[in-house]
Amino acid sequence: MKWIILALLSLSVVAASASDKIKFNFLDTEVSKMIEAYSKSTGQKFVVDPSVRGKASIFVQEPITTEEAFNQLSSALAVNGFAISKQGDTMIVKSARNIQRDLIEVSTEVPALKPERMATWIYTFKNIAAAEVNRSVRIMPSRDGEMNTFDKNNQIIFTDWTSNLNRMAAILKELDKPADPAAAKLAAEDKKGSMKREASKKKEETKTSN
């Protein structure tokens, strides 16, 4: 696969520091052009997969810090299904599904919301079984995300966009609580009633078939 390498500026151009402000305003622009603009303004090296295509708009009228510009760039890439992997002093840009197999952040702490990126978050349950939650929240990951359980350690492993990981963290915070005795009793009674109704239904079906 041929890679497109966006090199550093010539020596006559001084790279912007994190505190410098740059113009980062785009209307219906190819994301590759946004990457190039950011690279030229900051001196950051990028390697961009040829599949990285698509357009986005960023409306920021006033100059912004390079950190905020990177946040905006990351979001524009995410809108088109692309993510960044930092490898040494170089940023690798690929599809979100492929970047999961590259060097991305892995943590037991919820990743920071910005910049938007793919990360792996491992959560250990304290009050409920990971396998049980897995069945209930299987649809939580985004279309680019993945979720698996490690039952031995009662853990669940998410790889997804940081925005969705923060959403899932908020949901699991509410789910992973000691069981309320009254609620547990009600759930048990409801389950028992459902089993009785199912048994009765099967009995009626057997009579009808005979």
Side-chain angles (χ1 to χ4, degrees), residues 8-188:
L8 293 172
L9 291 175
S10 63
L11 295 177
S12 61
V13 179
V14 179
S17 70
S19 60
D20 289 336
K21 292 189 175 184
I22 61 176
K23 291 183 178 180
F24 212 67
N25 189 61
F26 302 93
L27 175 62
D28 197 28
T29 303
E30 285 286 342
V31 289
S32 60
K33 295 294 184 183
M34 295 182 185
I35 296 171
E36 185 176 14
Y38 181 83
S39 178
K40 286 181 177 179
S41 296
T42 64
Q44 174 63 57
K45 291 183 287 186
F46 284 85
V47 173
V48 185
D49 189 282
S51 66
V52 177
R53 298 171 185 171
K55 294 183 178 182
S57 296
I58 296 176
F59 299 117
V60 182
Q61 303 306 318
E62 299 296 326
I64 57 177
T65 64
T66 55
E67 179 182 3
E68 179 56 28
F70 186 73
N71 291 341
Q72 297 291 337
L73 174 62
S74 300
S75 295
L77 288 167
V79 166
N80 286 275
F82 302 111
I84 299 173
S85 168
K86 189 175 187 300
Q87 300 183 18
D89 63 349
T90 302
M91 300 288 187
I92 310 297
V93 185
K94 292 182 182 180
S95 70
R97 295 296 293 179
N98 288 333
I99 213 78
Q100 293 183 42
R101 274 68 186 173
D102 282 0
L103 183 62
I104 61 174
E105 178 184 352
V106 178
S107 178
T108 55
E109 299 293 329
V110 183
L113 185 61
K114 291 184 178 182
E116 183 75 282
R117 62 201 183 281
M118 294 297 291
T120 296
W121 173 50
I122 303 173
Y123 181 77
T124 302
F125 290 94
K126 302 176 181 64
N127 301 291
I128 53 181
E132 181 180 349
V133 175
N134 182 42
R135 291 191 295 271
S136 303
V137 299
R138 174 58 64 178
I139 62 172
M140 284 174 58
S142 70
R143 66 177 183 178
D144 299 313
E146 294 181 349
M147 180 177 72
N148 295 286
T149 59
F150 184 49
D151 295 341
K152 181 180 178 181
N153 288 352
N154 202 33
Q155 293 174 315
I156 195 162
I157 305 167
F158 295 103
T159 297
D160 212 331
W161 296 105
T162 51
S163 57
N164 203 38
L165 291 178
N166 276 264
R167 166 180 166 267
M168 289 188 284
I171 294 173
L172 294 183
K173 181 180 179 180
E174 296 302 315
L175 295 178
D176 191 16
K177 293 181 177 180
D180 177 16
K185 182 179 179 180
L186 184 63

